Amino acid sequence: MPFADQAEIGGFAVGEGRTDAASAEQLAQRYRSLVEHTPDAICVHESGTIVYVNPAMVRLLGARSVDDLLGLSITDFVHPDSVAAMLDRIDQLTAEGSASPPTDMDLVRVDGRTVPVQTVSVLTVWQEKLAFQVVVHDLTAQRAAEASARQAEAYFTTVVSQLEEGVLVVDRRGRLESINPAGKRILGIAAEAEPVLGLHIDELPMKMLDRDGRPLAPDQHPMARTLATGEAVTQFIFGVERTDGQLVWLSCNCRLLNPDSPESAGVSSFADITAFRASKRQLEYQATHDALTGLANRSLILSQLSTALADDGGTLITTVLFIDLDGFKAINDTLGHAIGDTVLQIVAQRLQQALRTEDLVGRLGGDEFLVLLAGHPQRADLPALVERLRVKMAEPIIASGHRLEVSASVGITELGPHERRTPEAVLHDADLAMYRDKPSAHRELGLGQNRRSNNTHAS
């Protein structure tokens, strides 16, 4: 607070024109108390000599008392690197009441330690002479906080840059503000490529797909949803076709950096799950397919049958063929299991070639195969279909130099409307029909024929 238009009162000055001495003294006391108790340091120097300091200035400079500072040169407590700029600033103050802009500089304490401060100098009157009143704000705590923030930011930046997980930040308009090295690597953004910061997320050099491999609409991207609604999106799966031709699958989490701010940017973290997805699909495939032939296994067959039966008259599956290779045991016993496995693989391929893609071909185990026919084949067409399968499987097989021929017994069971059998019962009825198709079936089955379904017949 400048000492301007002053009449001296007890070492301080107050404005002229006060109504009486009592009010002037009261004002002086208030001002003196304000200066003495303010947390900011205040000093007055005349021609470079300190003529007044408040208690805060004594503490800031580490002096024992006011008397340790009075009469000393102000430059004794200014860092040499700051002296020239300080003198230049006060030289610019030519009119009483004029003030310098707030300026950061360094002071030197009595013990030699440096203190960062911000100062404002005002040209004023002190005891009827022009002097400079300086208000000094200690920046030590602020600088420590800034240093701590910089350290935390540097630490955070280092951690994020070392993550194997990609991290990117987009502003409210959906434009990329930052992306870590892992994010660039995962998305196939080469370091030498055109800068991507500032691009809208839809303009990044990649094509985004949904989990089924279809193009992902811009408004379906999880970040677009988070920016629009403020809601976090977790474990969102989508694919990315990179510029190098690779397709990678990502698991993504999106949320606002500051959920309490409507202008908050969004942050997305994402991991490459391509290998995991492939492994998971491989495990799913192995759980539902025969390892030797690649056909559907018993589990998948029963699942498909269960779905068809629950469809209650739909068009998923209407006919089941149970196929057993005749004489296969002799091949295994005489030529070994390796050749037997080759025969089974070739039979599996021939069955798939002879049927439609919508028909399901499976292997129950050993030399037993099952066919689930889709749609509504005419009953009169079934014998021709079965005969075609027999002919296809009877074609000679060459395995390790051996010319082999196999035949097959085929049992048929049809799914009627409002079918009430279980999947296991359907397989059992098809199995019975297959055994009746074998040359010795009538002698072997006996009581088994009494259990057959009305919809079950041999080919």
Side-chain angles (χ1 to χ4, degrees):
M1 180 176 179
F3 299 172
D5 285 335
Q6 299 158 337
E8 184 177 342
I9 300 179
F12 288 87
V14 295
E16 295 178 351
R18 299 300 182 184
T19 57
D20 52 44
S23 61
E25 178 61 25
Q26 185 180 26
L27 180 61
Q29 290 292 345
R30 289 178 180 175
Y31 182 76
R32 185 180 299 112
S33 177
L34 174 65
V35 171
E36 292 291 312
H37 294 92
T38 181
D40 283 333
I42 296 177
C43 79
V44 177
H45 62 90
E46 179 185 324
S47 299
T49 301
I50 298 174
V51 295
Y52 170 79
V53 291
N54 71 343
M57 191 69 175
V58 175
R59 292 192 298 271
L60 178 65
L61 296 179
R64 291 174 298 180
S65 66
V66 171
D67 293 338
D68 289 342
L69 302 176
L70 295 180
L72 298 179
S73 173
I74 188 66
T75 58
D76 291 345
F77 302 99
V78 178
H79 193 278
D81 294 342
S82 301
V83 170
M86 180 197 72
L87 296 177
D88 182 65
R89 284 194 303 276
I90 62 178
D91 283 344
Q92 305 301 316
L93 304 180
T94 57
E96 184 179 336
S98 60
S100 67
T103 305
D104 292 354
M105 59 186 293
D106 290 327
L107 296 184
V108 180
R109 288 164 45 95
V110 171
D111 58 11
R113 287 193 297 161
T114 300
V115 183
V117 297
Q118 184 180 80
T119 65
V120 174
S121 296
V122 180
L123 183 61
T124 186
V125 174
W126 174 263
Q127 296 183 352
E128 300 182 354
K129 295 181 180 179
L130 288 177
F132 295 96
Q133 175 182 311
V134 185
V135 179
V136 184
H137 178 64
D138 188 355
L139 297 179
T140 302
Q142 179 180 328
R143 293 286 173 82
E146 291 172 351
S148 178
R150 287 194 299 271
Q151 183 179 16
E153 182 177 359
Y155 177 78
F156 173 77
T157 300
T158 301
V159 170
V160 171
S161 67
Q162 296 300 315
L163 288 175
E164 289 298 317
E165 189 177 46
V167 178
L168 59 81
V169 176
V170 298
D171 64 17
R172 292 297 304 178
R173 298 178 299 166
R175 300 192 179 279
L176 189 65
E177 289 188 344
S178 66
I179 181 170
N180 70 339
K184 289 184 177 181
R185 184 181 68 254
I186 293 171
L187 299 179
I189 300 174
E192 65 274 8
E194 292 294 322
V196 293
L197 297 185
L199 292 180
H200 193 275
I201 192 168
D202 296 329
E203 299 172 337
L204 294 177
M206 60 186 184
K207 180 180 179 181
M208 289 180 283
L209 310 172
D210 64 20
R211 64 171 61 222
D212 295 320
R214 297 185 298 264
L216 186 68
D219 60 349
Q220 293 178 337
H221 191 279
M223 181 56 76
R225 192 189 315 171
T226 293
L227 291 176
T229 66
E231 297 178 357
V233 178
T234 60
Q235 297 182 345
F236 184 90
I237 307 298
F238 68 102
V240 169
E241 286 186 358
R242 306 185 340 177
T243 55
D244 60 6
Q246 291 191 47
L247 172 62
V248 297
W249 291 95
L250 309 179
S251 176
C252 172
N253 299 314
C254 297
R255 55 179 45 86
L256 295 180
L257 277 174
N258 182 6
D260 296 328
S261 171
E263 298 302 317
S264 173
V267 58
S268 173
S269 59
F270 49 94
D272 184 348
I273 61 168
T274 306
F276 172 77
R277 181 182 172 93
S279 175
K280 181 180 178 182
R281 290 198 166 190
Q282 180 64 22
L283 290 174
E284 291 173 348
Y285 180 87
Q286 291 173 352
T288 56
H289 289 76
D290 176 52
L292 178 63
T293 63
L295 299 179
N297 62 13
R298 185 181 185 89
S299 174
L300 182 56
I301 291 170
L302 290 174
S303 174
Q304 293 293 318
L305 263 179
S306 178
T307 301
L309 293 171
D311 193 40
D312 195 19
T315 60
L316 293 175
I317 297 169
T318 57
T319 308
V320 178
L321 306 181
F322 198 115
I323 302 171
D324 182 79
L325 302 184
D326 298 327
F328 178 74
K329 184 175 184 300
I331 294 175
N332 257 348
D333 292 344
T334 59
L335 300 178
H337 288 282
I339 292 179
D341 288 348
T342 300
V343 171
L344 292 174
Q345 291 169 337
I346 293 174
V347 168
Q349 293 171 4
R350 290 178 177 178
L351 283 172
Q352 289 178 302
Q353 293 166 1
L355 293 163
R356 303 166 299 176
T357 54
E358 59 264 34
D359 298 326
L360 179 66
V361 183
R363 180 184 176 217
L364 293 177
D367 59 350
E368 295 178 336
F369 296 85
L370 204 77
V371 176
L372 306 183
L373 297 179
H376 290 281
Q378 296 296 319
R379 186 173 188 134
D381 295 335
L382 289 176
L385 171 62
V386 171
E387 184 59 26
R388 185 168 74 247
L389 294 177
R390 290 184 192 278
V391 171
K392 188 69 175 176
M393 288 185 289
E395 293 176 0
I397 296 173
I398 306 300
S400 299
H402 297 279
R403 179 185 176 89
L404 306 171
E405 293 182 4
V406 295
S407 59
S409 297
V410 181
I412 303 174
T413 185
E414 297 174 75
L415 304 184
H418 310 297
E419 184 66 65
R420 292 295 178 262
R421 286 178 294 173
T422 65
E424 291 80 3
V426 171
L427 260 62
H428 176 69
D429 290 343
D431 186 21
L432 291 180
M434 179 274 298
Y435 271 105
R436 286 193 296 274
D437 188 47
K438 287 184 176 293
S440 59
H442 295 289
R443 294 193 304 271
E444 294 174 356
L445 288 182
L447 296 174
Q449 295 186 13
N450 296 327
R451 298 195 300 268
R452 67 183 181 180
S453 166
N454 291 333
N455 292 329
T456 302
H457 54 89
S459 57

